[in-house]
Amino acid sequence: MTRNAMRFVFRRFFRRPHLERELNEEFASHIAMETSRRIAEGESAETARQGAMRDFGNVALVAEVTRAKWGFTWLEQALRDLRYAARSFARSPLFSAIVIVTLAAGIGSSTAIFSLLDGILLRALPFPQSDRLMMLWEVPPETQKPNVVVLNNFVAWKERGHSFQSMAAFESKPMNLLGDKENEQVPGLAVTAEFFTTLGTAPMLGRTLRPGEYWKNEPREVVLSYGAWQRLFGGRPDVIGKNISINVSHHEVIGVMPPEFGMPNHKEDLYVPLPIDTNGGRNYSVVARLRPGVSTGAAQAELASLAALTAREDVALNAGWSATAVPLLEQAVGSVRPILLILFAAVGLVLLLACANVANLMMMRASGRAREISVRLALGASRNCILRQLTIESLLLAACGGLLGLALGGAGVHLLKTSLPESLQIPRLNEVSLNIPVLLYSAAASIASALIFGLAPALQSLKRNVSEDLHESTRSITSGRKVRRMLVVTEIALALVLVSGAGLMVRSFLRLASVSTGFHSENVLTVRMLLLPVTKEEYHAEGVHEMLDRIRALPGVQAAGSIGVLPMEGTNSGSWYYHARVF
Amino acid sequence: MTEPTQYQNRIELLQGTLDLLILQTLARGAQHGHAISQAIRARSGELLSVETGSLYPALHRLEKRGWLDAEWKVSENNQRAKYYALTKAGKKQLVAEQDRWRLLVEAVSGVLDPA
């Protein structure tokens, strides 16, 4: 398009009323000049004017064909249809309200669940090239399920493997933070040197741990999470270089991570160095970044062959053990994927059901309007015109329903985020929000539902026999009956699927709730206690022993015991327990 | 008033020739719609008459294509009127339309009088 033409379009579009006046003036000027020409030729003023008018022809028609060249008539017609639709819906507020609320319920529920789907399953984890990050696990011979790693094997993978450009081990540990006035226990993560470089996130302030070192004596350094920095230090920038006391030793604050940083499903406040202690047990998680060009499958194969090697080299530690790699996102959200997809399908059915209901209402309304449409067809409205008008009516209803649905969806998301119990451990729930993809989804859902519920009534009304309708409007009411019967069947089918699906879910839940855990959790209380480092392990045992004796002496206490990790807690914890020797 | 005999002698315009006639008329300078139709009628010896229902849509279409510019001015008879003028692109288009017309005339003549 040339600049001139663009200016023309722009003027035509935004100055329409002005242009209409201009067109009328142009015609008036033409007629006036023709009149003067005729008077100059000797005609009387009256005949000259009449002749000029006759010569010009039908002004309205000429204006119409001229306007058609401006090229915006479809938009005008659409706007006219929109105004007409809005007026006719305003005249039947009850009908409109029922349709809009029905659609809003469908679109709202599906928007809320889609925002879960988007925030949890679809969005990338907050690390650069997060799809290259993997979790590495050992696989025990008994269960064949991923198990935490022993550091000997971590070092073996790191030194011999070629699939990963970097690799880090970490362990969740509550830490005692000694403040000026009171002590506080905060969640912490002990990490090896390359933890931060593996994840690839730069610190917001200061630096992170220096990579590439195996620590026998780890540096007394600590990296703060954004939350800890805000909560414990009030977000002060001069926190770098300060010493804080963690588990009775001083640590220098070297950096602060940005707000979005954190391992999925973890809420750590502090990151401290983890020394490589090859005498420890299987306690550690391992995260690794794939080397560019290496596929997940190749990395898994290499890891398995390395594990086979270590199993031969250290039979006592590794006999029968293998190893596997799981993509980090899969690790974080794999457990909730099926349930989210099922939920999404369920709300999809609800939306379809809402559409079927609305389609039914629209059909009833269309029967009432049979005469109106027949009259318009008889007066020369094209079938395209009628179809466009009905489509615009559907879109208007869907847009109102969509907006209300968005509000409901937003409220639903807020409710889900605040009221779901923490014990459900839904990963990444804090990342769920109404964002651009969710808005796009809800717009698409609205348009799709407009097409679904608007199509049947629109096509039905075009099949009308005009002359019959004009003669007796009663006959036309029967014509939509077949389609409406089909709609009712569809609704029943959809509802049946939903009800049976919901029934199956309740059944699964009840069966899950009745699975025996192997212990009685009634009347059992737990308390978590952090033992500070001591010179001799015996002191710990003494302390625990003494405390247990005191607890047993309390009235109402039947029995008391201690354990490192509670049953059904911890990262992939074992399935058996042994009696620890008490010193 | 138009005489019935004159009316019968008129020639229906070929599709597309109206553009050529308008552009050619405006090559002599900016004009309003009424003057354009008068000029075409006069120069064709009253044989060609352009209906307003064809003229104004054509003028607005040519303006949209960027071949004409429009401006409101006051005529010699003190009448406000919308004047159309050729743009640079309009002049180019005129040459193209002239060539096309000559080609058509040659071709039709060839068919009528085989050498």
Side-chain angles (χ1 to χ4, degrees):
Chain A
M1 217 193 275
T2 65
R3 224 177 64 214
N4 195 328
M6 260 160 70
R7 207 184 65 207
F8 184 94
V9 168
F10 182 84
R11 271 172 45 207
R12 289 286 179 267
F13 185 60
F14 289 103
R15 301 176 58 209
R16 189 93 204 192
H18 174 80
L19 289 167
E20 293 283 351
R21 275 200 309 279
E22 199 180 87
L23 189 65
N24 286 335
E25 201 182 338
E26 188 172 11
F27 292 170
S29 131
H30 182 111
I31 291 167
M33 280 188 281
E34 177 67 12
T35 311
S36 330
R37 191 187 66 82
R38 282 163 182 268
I39 291 173
E41 283 185 352
E43 290 182 30
S44 76
E46 189 52 30
T47 42
R49 171 136 193 95
Q50 278 171 6
M53 298 275 279
R54 194 169 48 243
D55 230 28
F56 192 90
N58 185 335
V59 176
L61 197 65
V62 176
E64 184 68 47
V65 290
T66 306
R67 268 200 298 267
K69 301 294 172 199
W70 296 351
F72 269 94
T73 41
W74 62 268
L75 189 71
E76 280 184 307
Q77 278 162 343
L79 285 175
R80 202 161 51 212
D81 286 343
L82 198 61
R83 275 196 299 271
Y84 180 79
R87 272 205 307 273
S88 79
F89 288 134
R91 271 200 304 272
S92 44
L94 187 66
F95 168 83
S96 314
I98 290 174
V99 167
I100 288 171
V101 168
T102 308
L103 286 175
I107 294 171
S109 56
S110 103
T111 298
I113 299 300
F114 179 79
S115 68
L116 288 185
L117 210 66
D118 171 68
I120 295 173
L121 297 188
L122 300 181
R123 204 170 321 152
L125 290 167
F127 307 109
Q129 279 136 44
S130 61
D131 56 325
R132 306 296 292 164
L133 292 172
M134 315 279 283
M135 291 292 289
L136 311 188
W137 303 103
E138 293 198 60
V139 180
E142 304 90 15
T143 64
Q144 293 297 319
K145 286 193 180 130
N147 189 95
V148 274
V149 177
V150 63
L151 286 180
N152 307 41
N153 290 337
F154 164 71
V155 171
W157 297 343
K158 205 168 153 55
E159 287 178 346
R160 301 174 185 178
H162 301 287
S163 301
F164 301 99
Q165 67 183 46
S166 67
M167 200 183 279
F170 59 93
E171 184 190 18
S172 242
K173 264 185 179 171
M175 293 177 186
N176 263 16
L177 199 60
L178 269 64
D180 294 337
K181 291 171 196 130
E182 55 183 324
N183 300 345
E184 192 182 353
Q185 192 179 327
V186 297
L189 206 65
V191 302
T192 59
E194 287 175 348
F195 179 74
F196 294 98
T197 42
T198 301
L199 293 177
T201 308
M204 209 176 81
L205 279 181
R207 62 174 176 88
T208 56
L209 299 168
R210 296 216 162 85
E213 298 165 46
Y214 289 134
W215 298 306
K216 289 296 177 209
N217 293 309
E218 75 275 19
R220 299 285 182 207
E221 294 174 337
V222 57
V223 174
L224 301 179
S225 76
Y226 181 84
W229 178 52
Q230 291 293 324
R231 195 165 50 80
L232 303 173
F233 298 94
R236 285 207 317 273
D238 61 352
V239 68
I240 306 296
K242 279 224 157 63
N243 274 306
I244 57 175
S245 186
I246 301 168
N247 297 353
V248 299
S249 63
H250 286 289
H251 285 247
E252 184 191 347
V253 177
I254 57 166
V256 176
M257 296 310 288
E260 74 277 3
F261 180 82
M263 288 303 284
N265 310 342
H266 283 248
K267 282 179 193 156
E268 270 80 25
D269 276 336
L270 310 173
Y271 300 90
V272 298
L274 170 70
I276 303 281
D277 171 11
T278 46
N279 296 319
R282 288 191 159 91
N283 287 322
Y284 304 93
S285 304
V286 176
V287 64
R289 183 175 282 275
L290 284 173
R291 214 176 271 287
V294 176
S295 73
T296 306
Q300 282 165 337
E302 192 199 37
L303 205 56
S305 69
L306 286 176
L309 209 61
T310 52
R312 281 198 299 278
E313 287 170 358
D314 191 341
V315 176
L317 185 66
N318 291 329
W321 286 70
S322 182
T324 189
V326 183
L328 186 56
L329 183 63
E330 175 65 28
Q331 185 77 48
V333 304
S335 59
V336 294
R337 177 175 288 128
I339 189 80
L340 278 181
L341 291 178
I342 288 172
L343 269 180
F344 188 58
V347 292
L349 288 183
V350 169
L351 182 56
L352 273 180
L353 203 55
C355 284
N357 266 320
V358 171
N360 212 342
L361 286 169
M362 296 286 279
M363 294 287 290
M364 273 154 70
R365 188 166 177 272
S367 312
R369 296 173 69 190
R371 272 180 84 86
E372 176 203 328
I373 286 168
S374 298
V375 166
R376 294 187 56 179
L377 282 172
L379 285 180
S382 67
R383 278 165 199 265
N384 273 344
C385 263
I386 304 277
L387 203 59
R388 189 187 56 218
Q389 200 217 311
L390 293 174
T391 310
I392 278 179
E393 285 181 4
S394 303
L395 282 174
L396 179 65
L397 285 176
C400 293
L403 280 178
L404 187 61
L406 201 57
L408 285 179
V413 167
H414 183 74
L415 198 71
L416 283 173
K417 285 176 78 168
T418 50
S419 67
L420 278 181
E422 201 144 320
S423 60
L424 277 181
Q425 292 186 336
I426 293 178
R428 306 184 77 192
L429 195 58
N430 57 331
E431 292 177 51
V432 170
S433 64
L434 283 189
N435 49 15
I436 301 286
V438 176
L439 292 183
L440 286 179
Y441 168 80
S442 121
S446 306
I447 292 170
S449 37
L451 294 181
I452 292 170
F453 73 71
L455 197 66
L459 292 180
Q460 189 65 34
S461 52
L462 284 188
K463 273 197 286 179
R464 299 205 173 287
N465 181 327
V466 172
S467 65
E468 243 176 57
D469 274 359
L470 288 180
H471 280 119
E472 37 183 334
S473 59
T474 44
R475 191 171 300 175
S476 62
I477 292 174
T478 59
S479 63
R481 206 169 264 172
K482 209 161 123 197
V483 181
R484 274 165 58 197
R485 220 177 284 148
M486 272 165 59
L487 278 175
V488 170
V489 171
T490 314
E491 281 176 56
I492 292 174
L494 286 173
L496 197 69
V497 172
L498 274 177
V499 168
S500 52
L504 283 174
M505 252 191 226
V506 169
R507 204 173 125 85
S508 304
F509 176 77
L510 288 177
R511 281 174 66 174
L512 200 59
S514 65
V515 166
S516 167
T517 52
F519 58 89
H520 299 288
S521 58
E522 303 88 18
N523 297 327
V524 177
L525 303 179
T526 64
V527 61
R528 185 189 283 276
M529 190 175 76
L530 184 68
L531 301 172
L532 297 179
V534 282
T535 46
K536 278 186 173 178
E537 287 281 315
E538 286 86 343
Y539 296 148
H540 270 163
E542 266 173 32
V544 172
H545 226 65
E546 197 184 309
M547 195 168 61
L548 283 175
D549 282 341
R550 285 206 209 158
I551 291 172
R552 287 185 186 114
L554 288 173
V557 173
Q558 255 181 22
S562 69
I563 195 168
V565 180
L566 281 171
M568 315 201 66
E569 256 198 8
T571 314
N572 302 345
S573 65
S575 51
W576 44 271
Y577 299 88
Y578 63 92
H579 194 276
R581 189 168 65 90
V582 178
F583 297 93
Chain B
M1 204 171 128
T2 327
E3 301 293 320
T5 46
Q6 270 184 325
Y7 187 83
Q8 278 168 3
N9 285 339
R10 276 201 203 132
I11 299 168
E12 285 295 312
L13 281 178
L14 275 172
Q15 187 77 39
T17 41
L18 181 58
D19 288 6
L20 171 60
L21 293 177
I22 292 173
L23 293 171
Q24 182 68 52
T25 308
L26 291 176
R28 298 172 171 226
Q31 262 320 339
H32 48 74
H34 184 255
I36 293 169
S37 72
Q38 290 299 317
I40 291 174
R41 188 192 296 221
R43 257 177 248 137
S44 66
E46 306 277 318
L47 279 175
L48 298 178
S49 165
V50 188
E51 305 287 331
T52 50
S54 311
L55 176 68
Y56 283 102
L59 285 172
H60 284 241
R61 181 166 44 79
L62 295 178
E63 189 189 354
K64 186 180 178 184
R65 295 289 289 269
W67 295 335
L68 301 185
D69 250 344
E71 194 186 356
W72 283 88
K73 282 195 268 194
V74 176
S75 75
E76 56 269 31
N77 302 335
N78 223 15
Q79 168 72 46
R80 238 173 79 80
K82 194 176 175 189
Y83 278 75
Y84 294 89
L86 283 188
T87 62
K88 223 173 174 181
K91 281 174 191 154
K92 251 191 234 160
Q93 181 63 23
L94 173 59
V95 175
E97 297 260 345
Q98 283 170 339
D99 289 347
R100 219 163 57 91
W101 176 252
R102 291 201 183 100
L103 212 62
L104 181 68
V105 170
E106 251 173 63
V108 174
S109 313
V111 174
L112 294 181
D113 308 310

